[in-house]
Every structure is written in C-alpha cells, then in structure tokens.
Amino acid sequence: MKEEDCIFCKIANGEIPSTTIYEDDTFRVILDLGPANPGHALILPKEHFRDITEIDADTAAKVLPLAAKIGTALKEGLGCDGFNVVQNNGPAAGQTVFHFHVHIIPRYDADPKMVTWTPGTYEDGEMEKVAEKIRAAL
Ligand code: AMP
Ligand code: ZN
C-alpha cells in the first residue's frame, strides 16, 4: 500500500526521480541526498510501512541480505573500509521520513566514528530492574 503524501512511497515507486543503484519487486535503493559520505544509500521498500514495527515478514526477511549486498558493493565499488547499517524509528531516534528505510553508509578507516555513544553505568540492581521491565513487555 502506498500513502498519499509520502515522499519515499513516490520515490520507491518511481513517481519522483531518484539516483537508483538497485531495484527489485520489493525495494528500490537510492543515494541519500544529504550523504554522511558519498555513496550513502537508502533501502526503501516499495510498500509503505511507518517503521520497523510495521514491516511485514517478507520485507523483514529480505532487508538484511539486501543491506549486506549493498554494503559489499560499496566496499568493492568505492573502496570503503567498512559500512554502517543504520535504521531510525521515531523522532526521538532521529527518524525524519516516516516510511521505513535503512541507511547503508560507506566508512573509511580515517573517518571519525559516527554511530557512537558515551558508555553509561547502572546503579546497583538497576540493570536487573530494567531487564525485568523489558521482559514483561515482550
Ligand atoms: P531518517 O533521518 O532516518 O528518517 O533519514 C531520512 C534520510 O532521507 C535523510 O538522510 C535525508 O537526507 C534523506 N532524504 C530525504 N529526502 C530525500 C530525497 N528526496 N532523496 C534522497 N534522500 C532523501
Ligand atoms: Zn511511504
């Protein structure tokens, strides 16, 4: 299903032009207009899903193998040393386009680390309490 005003629905289905590097029945893979590095790619399903919690089993089964295929092509084609696979869910996590997508970002040894955080700590007993809240929601 496409959504009326979704820009990634329009791009994925070819209604808005994009720089496409791969296409099959399920996905279009395009270059991001604001790349972290040249070659930064976005995997877009042709069907509309808001985020990872909505994707169907077929999309879910296919998307990681495709991420590996695109990442391998970035390494072979561009000579990058590695790649990040990034996928944001919700504004708090940095999602700005609400059509599920996966970023594949070429990375070079000399690059500053990009997907990173400052490791925190737990108070005594806090880790188990947090784990219990998550287990109870599963
Ligand atoms: P996110 O923050 O995970 O929702 O990522 C959205 C990404 O889409 C950003 O990296 C944007 O640069 C990229 N983007 C937005 N509009 C377009 C467009 N028309 N063509 C290509 N990339 C786009
Ligand atoms: Zn959409």
Side-chain angles (χ1 to χ4, degrees), residues 8 19 21-22 27-45 62-76 78 80-88 100-108 111 114-115:
F8 280 3
T19 301
I21 56 171
Y22 174 86
F27 300 100
R28 181 186 295 271
V29 184
I30 67 169
L31 293 189
D32 194 304
L33 276 180
N37 265 332
H40 179 162
L42 297 174
I43 300 176
L44 312 180
K62 290 174 176 168
V63 73
L64 271 188
L66 180 55
K69 180 184 175 86
I70 299 297
T72 300
L74 295 178
K75 289 182 78 173
E76 288 180 7
L78 302 179
C80 59
D81 300 307
F83 57 93
N84 292 118
V85 177
V86 178
Q87 197 277 309
N88 299 324
F100 172 81
H101 55 279
V102 177
H103 299 255
I104 315 291
I105 305 172
R107 306 297 296 171
Y108 297 86
D111 283 349
M114 194 191 59
V115 181

Side-chain angles (χ1 to χ4, degrees), residues 103-138:
H103 299 255
I104 315 291
I105 305 172
R107 306 297 296 171
Y108 297 86
D109 287 340
D111 283 349
K113 295 291 168 279
M114 194 191 59
V115 181
T116 186
W117 56 88
T118 306
T121 55
Y122 287 109
E123 304 290 328
D124 271 358
E126 184 187 0
M127 194 176 194
E128 186 52 38
K129 282 186 191 151
V130 170
E132 194 43 52
K133 284 185 189 169
I134 301 167
R135 289 185 202 114
L138 285 171

